[in-house]
Amino acid sequence: DQQVKQNSPSLSVQEGRISILNCDYTNSMFDYFLWYKKYPAEGPTFLISISSIKDKNEDGRFTVFLNKSAKHLSLHIVPSQPGDSAVYFCAASWNQGGKLIFGQGTELSVKP
Amino acid sequence: DTGVSQDPRHKITKRGQNVTFRCDPISEHNRLYWYRQTLGQGPEFLTYFQNEAQLEKSRLLSDRFSAERPKGSFSTLEIQRTEQGDSAMYLCASSFPRGSGSRSEQFFGPGTRLTVL
């Protein structure tokens, strides 16, 4: 039962353009969502998070949008840079629970 | 603070052997998590501790797996009688609890890559 889904295994974007990574979830109990970036042979690095009481959170070039009615969140990266090339995971949790439920990841390639 | 550290970074073992991994969390964090990641998948939750108490275990954590955090600081994950299906990246993370007034995102270590031959 995949509660968090990233349906695009890969995405290729030109440097300077916008990257949009998508994530869908099924569990309406989720109330906290996060995006992580992962380079090969390293652990995931936290990027940005959003609580279910908000619909947008912005941090520099990164913005996360949450659409609760559609159970959908997205990460926008503007402008995209070659150093952004990595695998991006969305994750979700609920209540005061500790565990994160991760999607399968989307590999972003930003071409110069 | 140097972040979350894990040791060893790589472990190759033969089927049937026991292995033990260590995780040192960020010192101020009282929550510590273990995840497992296989190729092409996101990390899957295994277990977590708040201080020395193990609060939740996934059904992925079979009887061959045991985790400890005896003094509420570092943690160990032991796998007994390893099987080829245990080959994966084992990730450790730490955080403050949600609602504690501090940021609660989980910070991950570099992982231990286990290969069972």
Side-chain angles (χ1 to χ4, degrees):
Chain A
D1 177 24
Q2 191 72 33
Q3 298 185 68
V4 178
K5 296 182 182 181
Q6 294 175 257
N7 292 318
S8 298
S10 62
L11 175 67
S12 183
V13 170
Q14 206 67 29
E15 180 179 7
R17 307 295 290 270
I18 184 171
S19 295
I20 300 176
L21 297 101
N22 294 302
C23 180
D24 297 293
Y25 62 96
T26 58
N27 190 339
S28 58
M29 299 295 289
F30 289 144
D31 63 354
Y32 185 53
F33 303 88
L34 308 89
W35 284 93
Y36 283 84
K37 178 169 73 173
K38 188 179 185 301
Y39 295 116
E42 294 184 12
T45 301
F46 170 75
L47 275 177
I48 192 168
S49 62
I50 188 168
S51 163
S52 61
I53 62 173
K54 296 184 176 181
D55 54 19
K56 177 182 174 181
N57 188 27
E58 191 172 353
D59 184 1
R61 296 186 298 115
F62 302 93
T63 303
V64 56
F65 295 92
L66 176 62
N67 183 333
K68 288 190 296 292
S69 60
K71 294 190 176 67
H72 178 84
L73 66 156
S74 61
L75 174 69
H76 293 207
I77 306 173
V78 184
S80 301
Q81 300 173 353
D84 296 330
S85 297
V87 178
Y88 288 77
F89 292 97
C90 67
S93 70
W94 64 95
N95 293 330
Q96 302 299 319
K99 67 184 178 187
L100 295 177
I101 307 299
F102 282 84
Q104 308 95 311
T106 296
E107 183 170 12
L108 173 66
S109 175
V110 180
K111 301 191 182 302
Chain B
D1 199 330
T2 57
V4 179
S5 62
Q6 293 187 244
D7 184 70
R9 294 291 306 274
H10 304 274
K11 179 70 176 178
I12 299 175
T13 191
K14 293 183 178 179
R15 189 177 53 186
Q17 298 295 305
N18 298 345
V19 294
T20 300
F21 311 140
R22 176 180 170 123
C23 171
D24 287 273
I26 293 172
S27 56
E28 309 89 74
H29 288 170
N30 53 6
R31 283 202 172 175
L32 185 149
Y33 310 81
W34 286 99
Y35 293 84
R36 180 173 69 185
Q37 185 178 18
T38 54
L39 198 62
Q41 300 296 318
E44 294 177 292
F45 170 78
L46 292 178
T47 188
Y48 88 95
F49 295 83
Q50 179 152 317
N51 300 313
E52 64 274 9
Q54 189 172 19
L55 296 188
E56 186 174 354
K57 294 194 295 185
S58 164
R59 60 177 180 266
L60 292 175
L61 214 66
S62 75
D63 291 345
R64 297 184 298 106
F65 288 71
S66 63
E68 294 183 343
R69 193 182 184 199
K71 296 182 180 179
S73 57
F74 73 92
S75 174
T76 57
L77 178 68
E78 181 183 17
I79 309 175
Q80 296 181 326
R81 306 181 302 281
T82 52
E83 302 173 356
Q84 288 184 326
D86 297 332
S87 295
M89 174 76 83
Y90 289 84
L91 293 162
C92 176
S94 69
S95 77
F96 291 111
R98 284 181 60 189
S100 65
S102 300
R103 291 178 61 171
S104 60
E105 59 266 21
Q106 295 180 23
F107 291 84
F108 283 80
T112 295
R113 168 74 64 190
L114 173 66
T115 302
V116 181
L117 301 176

